[in-house]
Amino acid sequence: MNKEVNIEPIETYMRKNLLSRTQFCKRCGISISTLNKILCGDGNYRLNALLKISRAIDVPFTDFFKVV
């Protein structure tokens, strides 16, 4: 399954709240390696991680998916 993710909501949230990757991960309850995979477009992570991020930053889950 190709998980092409729109990372703009994550980057915008981190920038607006002046959060490091570590701080962001603690807030969302995910590991730094998972966040790095998402941001780098690795695709080797569970969709549950995006759900956790979605809830933590109050962004609809569907906003993470690109329409191709």
Side-chain angles (χ1 to χ4, degrees):
M1 180 170 135
N2 184 5
K3 301 177 205 171
E4 194 168 337
V5 175
N6 175 18
I7 61 172
E8 187 177 333
I10 297 170
E11 292 176 332
T12 299
Y13 185 86
M14 289 175 63
R15 190 172 42 255
K16 283 184 178 178
N17 292 283
L18 304 172
L19 296 174
S20 68
R21 286 185 180 195
T22 302
Q23 292 167 323
F24 181 81
C25 288
K26 285 181 182 178
R27 186 169 289 191
C28 296
I30 63 171
S31 70
I32 189 79
S33 63
T34 298
L35 179 62
N36 288 336
K37 288 176 183 179
I38 293 169
L39 295 178
C40 294
D42 182 323
N44 189 19
Y45 56 88
R46 296 182 185 262
L47 290 177
N48 188 42
L50 288 178
L51 185 58
K52 287 180 178 182
I53 293 170
S54 170
R55 290 177 179 159
I57 69 174
D58 197 28
V59 170
F61 182 68
T62 55
D63 284 3
F64 291 110
F65 300 97
K66 295 181 179 182
V67 177
V68 185

